[in-house]
Each structure stands twice: as C-alpha cells, then as structure tokens.
Amino acid sequence: MTRSLSVFRRGVAFPVATAVLVLLAGCADMSGIASQSKLRDADSLGLKAAPFSTGLSAVDARWWAGFGDAQLDALVDEALAGSPNIAVARARLSRAQAAIATAESADRPQLNGSLDATRQKFSSNYIYPAPLAGSIQEVGTLQLNGSWEIDFFGKNRAALDSALGSSNAAAAEVDAARILLASNVARGYIQWARLNDQLAVAKRTLAQRDETLQLVRDRVSAGLDTRLELRQSEGGLPEARQQIEALDEQIAIAQHALDALVARPDATKALTPPSLASLHAVALQPNIPADLLGRRADIAAARWRVEAATGDVAGAKTLFYPNVNLTAFVGLQSLGFDNLLKSNSAQWGVGPAVRLPIFEGGRLRANLRGKAADLDAAIESYNASVLDAVRDAADQVSSAQSVARQQAQQREAQAAAEGAYEIAVQRYRAGLGNYLNVLTAESTVLAQRRQAVDLAARVLDTQVGLARALGGGWQPPVAVAATGKTAAAH
C-alpha cells in the first residue's frame, strides 16, 4: 500500500500542481486589452473600380531598359550593385534572419557544460560539520546541464512568427530600396538629358540673336534703324550667355547627383551627354490595377510589419500562462581536485520546473498594452502606406494623360509662334515692321521651345514615376520559411 501511494504521488504530483497553477493564472488577467485598428483592403480603396487591363503586361523588372539607353542601363546596374543604402537594407535583412534562428532555438533542447574549480574556506559557524568547518578545501564540479522548455501555450511559436514577419518585411524593404534607387537614377538621367536639351535651345537662341544683331547693324549702317534698336539687339547676347552659364551649372549639379546615386565620383564624366530624343517612351498601362497593393514592395513590407507586431501581441499574451521546463544535470563534484574524476563523485538530477505569474504589479498588462499599441501603429502605418500608394499611382496616371494632351496643344502653339517669328523677321528685313515686334515674337518662340523640352522630359519622368508607383516590376517572393532563408534576399 505504501508503495502504491508513493507511485501515485509521483505520477500525479506534477499534473495536479500544473492544474492548480493554471487555475491560479486568473490572477494575471489580460481582459480588455486588444488592438483597435483595422487593415484597409482593396475594396475600401475603390481599386475594383479600375480593373487591371489584361491587354497590357505588368511592369518589367528591368523597366528602365525600355528607354533604350545603354548608358542609363549601366548606371542603374552600377547603382544597384554599389549602393550603401541597399547594403544597409541587406544588413537589416541578415539581422532579421538571424533573429529567426534565435527564435527557433528556444523550441529545442538546450545543453551546456561547466567546469568550476574553487579553493574555499568553509565557515565554522554554519552548517558544515568538523573537520570541514573552518578548513580550506578545493571544490571541483564538472557538469552537463540540460533544459527543454515545453511550449504549451505557444510563446515560442509567437516569437518565431514575429521574427518571420520582421524578416519578410526586411526582405521586401530591400526590394523597395532597389526600386526606389533605380527610379531615382532614371529620373536623374532624364533631368540631365532635359538640361542638355535646354542648353541646346539656349545655344540656338544665342546663335539666332547673333544673326539678328548683324542684321540690325546692317540696317543701322544703312540709316534704316537707330542706335536704340542696336542696343536692344546687343542686350540679347549677354542674356543668352548668362542662361548658358546657368544651365552649365545645373548640368554639373545633375551629374554630381547621379554620381552620388551610383556611389562612384565622376561616374558620369566619361559618358556622352544624353538628350531626350535618345530615350524611347516606355509603354505602361494607363490605369490603376486592382492588384496594386500586391505589386508594391513597400506595401508588402508594411503588411509584414503588421504580422510581426501580431506575433509580438500573441507572445505577450503567453506570458500570462505557466512556463514549463524540463531540467536535468549530470556530472562530477568533489572536495579535492584529486577526487573529481572518481566514479563515486558522480551526481545527477532531473525534474520539471513550472513558473506562473500570479501577481506582477501590472507589468504583464502594461507589456500587453504596449504590444497592442505597437500593433495599432503597424496597422495604421500600413493603412497610410496603401493610401499613399493609391494616391501616387493615381497622380502618375493623371499626369501621364495630362502631359500627353499638353504636348499636343504645345506643338500647335510652338508652330504658330515659329511662324509668327519668321513673319516678324521678314517684315523687319523689308522695313515693314519695327524691331519690337521681332523681340516680342522671339520671346514667345523661346518660351515655347523651353516648354517643349520640359514637356518631353515630363513624359519620360512620369513614365518612371508610373513604373515605380505600379510596383517597379516587383513580384512577391516565396515567404521566409523557418530556416531564415528567402527568395527575396538578393
């Protein structure tokens, strides 16, 4: 009977104790604490009202190659290979992937070894009997310690989910950084080309004004004009030269900006100055696709941040429940180092360890409130990102359509201005008009020529913006698995 009772006690003591502790868990109450924010979906953004055009393909991953400029392709490739910002994003990804391995290790048995060698004087007024009391002895311990946390309530699983979410977010942020960098390089290159074309307009204006000055001089010499017309004509040359100098300065600054994006000083110095005419238009869909949110790496990163925050909330909730560990040790211990490795110095132990929060002074509830607030912040950051993404795409689509219409009107206006200028010059040569008419017509022509260059640049710049707004050719990779590897880790 005594043996049976002993076996019964050994068999039920731990389960009964665990059940009692679970019942006591009610002292640590998590009720009333939850996230209040809600994720925005495609329906709430009205994306279904603008369906994806099946006749047009998605943005190519190397969309900038569509401009047909080998120099631009080389600059983008060099920038993507050497950008410090992308290197920082990759370092963050590596750190996030390392956190996955850390989270996975918590679910596995832990084993460590220890060796302690101490020369110690034992107290004469403590629990030690003579002759140990008051003596100086050498104490040695050689031991293996093992433990295994049994994840009954999902604490380790929640930590792993959070780590996976953070890693997937970091991988998406690497891609988002690549897309942004490529678009910045393309925009910088287009700006460089625009300024080169504006410089060509300014040089053409200078040559034109030089020809006009010679005409005025001939008329003054013939007594057909006064020095007033001569001075007016002479004043146009330094103005044109000043515009050329200003454009040279802007071109140098634009090249410096590109050099910085490529992360190589003087990267553009050996290149042929581009022109807008050398860049081909990129064909992109003229509407907002219904799957816009699934195409953008920055949106995916924000969504994974929500997943990571959700895992943190789940992990904070598990802290309200018991923590169950199985622990064991085996090793050698002795008084005197010479006895340490003897067989009768062996010791071992095994048993469960249960820890339960009963009264924490509000610490666990405060921690859970903080994690819930972090989740709310992640959700609202996601919502802000998707709203900005829809606005960005809508802006680019509207701009692309508007610039095309503006170009059509501008071409007509420029043709009329060029014609009026030719008539004004002919009338002036024939003595039927005054020089003021020539100046007025020339100002109109010059304004139209500049506007033509600006609109041509805006067409290309808007195509870059639209390619980026539509995701830059990004496709959702295979999500990070529990091994910490991902297809998005470039």
Side-chain angles (χ1 to χ4, degrees):
M1 181 65 179
T2 301
R3 174 178 172 80
S4 298
L5 181 60
S6 175
V7 172
F8 172 78
R9 286 173 177 170
R10 288 197 302 271
V12 302
F14 177 60
V16 170
T18 302
V20 171
L21 289 175
V22 172
L23 292 175
L24 288 174
C27 296
D29 183 19
M30 69 178 79
S31 62
I33 303 175
S35 172
Q36 303 299 316
S37 297
K38 302 298 180 184
L39 290 169
R40 297 289 295 266
D41 56 15
D43 289 339
S44 70
L45 298 168
L47 291 181
K48 286 191 175 181
F52 175 69
S53 177
T54 56
L56 294 167
S57 61
V59 179
D60 188 83
R62 289 181 57 84
W63 51 266
W64 56 86
F67 288 115
D69 192 304
Q71 289 188 153
L72 173 60
D73 296 346
L75 285 174
V76 173
D77 290 340
E78 186 175 357
L80 294 178
S83 170
N85 291 332
I86 292 181
V88 170
R90 285 176 178 151
R92 289 173 180 161
L93 173 58
S94 296
R95 180 177 180 180
Q97 290 175 338
I100 294 176
T102 301
E104 287 178 324
S105 67
D107 237 357
R108 299 167 182 164
Q110 308 294 313
L111 182 66
N112 58 76
S114 62
L115 171 61
D116 298 319
T118 307
R119 185 172 176 81
Q120 176 181 348
K121 179 180 179 180
F122 291 87
S123 172
S124 299
N125 300 314
Y126 194 44
I127 61 174
Y128 307 110
L132 185 60
S135 66
I136 297 176
Q137 301 288 339
E138 294 170 335
V139 179
T141 302
L142 178 62
Q143 188 164 285
L144 284 177
N145 299 287
S147 65
W148 182 27
E149 182 178 355
I150 303 176
D151 194 20
F152 283 121
F153 303 102
K155 180 181 73 173
N156 297 337
R157 179 69 247 181
L160 181 58
D161 288 342
S162 177
L164 289 170
S166 295
S167 183
N168 284 321
E173 285 169 351
V174 172
D175 290 332
R178 290 169 58 85
I179 292 167
L180 179 61
L181 178 60
S183 65
N184 285 340
V185 171
R187 280 184 155 170
Y189 193 79
I190 291 169
Q191 171 69 356
W192 185 18
R194 182 189 74 83
L195 291 171
N196 287 327
D197 283 10
Q198 290 287 14
L199 180 62
V201 170
K203 289 180 177 179
R204 178 184 173 188
T205 300
L206 177 61
Q208 184 175 288
R209 287 181 177 179
D210 191 53
E211 292 175 2
T212 303
L213 175 60
Q214 187 58 48
L215 173 62
V216 173
R217 283 173 176 167
D218 292 343
R219 287 179 58 83
V220 170
S221 297
L224 300 176
D225 274 333
T226 67
R227 291 187 60 81
L228 173 62
E229 285 79 11
L230 179 61
R231 297 302 296 170
Q232 287 176 329
S233 181
E234 289 175 342
L237 268 67
E239 179 187 0
R241 294 190 187 102
Q242 182 272 327
Q243 291 174 357
I244 290 173
E245 288 296 330
L247 287 167
D248 283 336
E249 177 193 6
Q250 294 176 47
I251 287 171
I253 293 173
Q255 288 184 259
H256 297 162
L258 273 173
D259 293 343
L261 289 172
V262 174
R264 179 167 63 89
D266 296 331
T268 59
K269 189 174 182 179
L271 300 181
T272 301
S275 66
L276 296 175
S278 66
L279 296 168
H280 307 305
V282 178
L284 295 170
Q285 60 190 69
N287 53 25
I288 304 175
D291 61 345
L292 171 67
L293 303 186
R295 294 184 178 201
R296 292 185 51 135
D298 56 340
I299 300 300
R303 186 66 179 84
W304 281 114
R305 292 295 177 197
V306 173
E307 294 297 322
T310 301
D312 287 339
V313 170
K317 289 180 178 179
T318 63
L319 299 179
F320 287 77
Y321 299 111
N323 181 35
V324 181
N325 276 278
L326 294 179
T327 62
F329 67 90
V330 60
L332 302 166
Q333 188 175 50
S334 69
L335 285 176
F337 296 153
D338 54 336
N339 297 321
L340 181 61
L341 299 180
K342 294 180 178 180
S343 60
N344 57 358
S345 297
Q347 62 172 0
W348 60 268
V350 62
V354 181
R355 302 290 184 271
L356 173 69
I358 297 176
F359 182 73
E360 295 285 338
R363 179 179 62 86
L364 294 181
R365 286 181 60 84
N367 180 61
L368 180 57
R369 281 198 304 271
K371 298 301 182 183
D374 289 342
L375 176 57
D376 283 337
I379 291 173
E380 296 303 339
S381 293
Y382 171 84
N383 292 339
S385 295
V386 299
L387 289 171
D388 187 66
V390 173
R391 176 207 57 76
D392 185 19
D395 285 351
Q396 300 301 334
V397 169
S398 297
S399 293
Q401 296 170 347
S402 175
V403 171
R405 293 191 294 267
Q406 291 179 54
Q407 274 192 306
Q409 298 300 319
Q410 187 277 327
R411 281 191 290 267
E412 293 183 14
Q414 182 172 349
E418 296 279 4
Y421 176 72
E422 291 297 329
I423 293 173
V425 172
Q426 291 173 7
R427 285 177 59 82
Y428 178 67
R429 287 180 185 274
L432 301 176
N434 58 40
Y435 189 66
L436 181 60
N437 292 334
V438 175
L439 290 178
T440 302
E442 183 195 53
S443 298
T444 305
V445 167
L446 181 57
Q448 288 299 326
R449 289 172 182 171
R450 290 171 176 169
Q451 189 174 21
V453 172
D454 288 342
L455 286 175
R458 278 203 65 196
V459 168
L460 299 172
D461 187 76
T462 302
Q463 289 171 346
V464 173
L466 185 57
R468 178 189 52 76
L470 296 180
W474 180 78
Q475 293 294 329
V478 177
V480 176
T483 58
K485 302 297 182 183
T486 175
H490 298 293

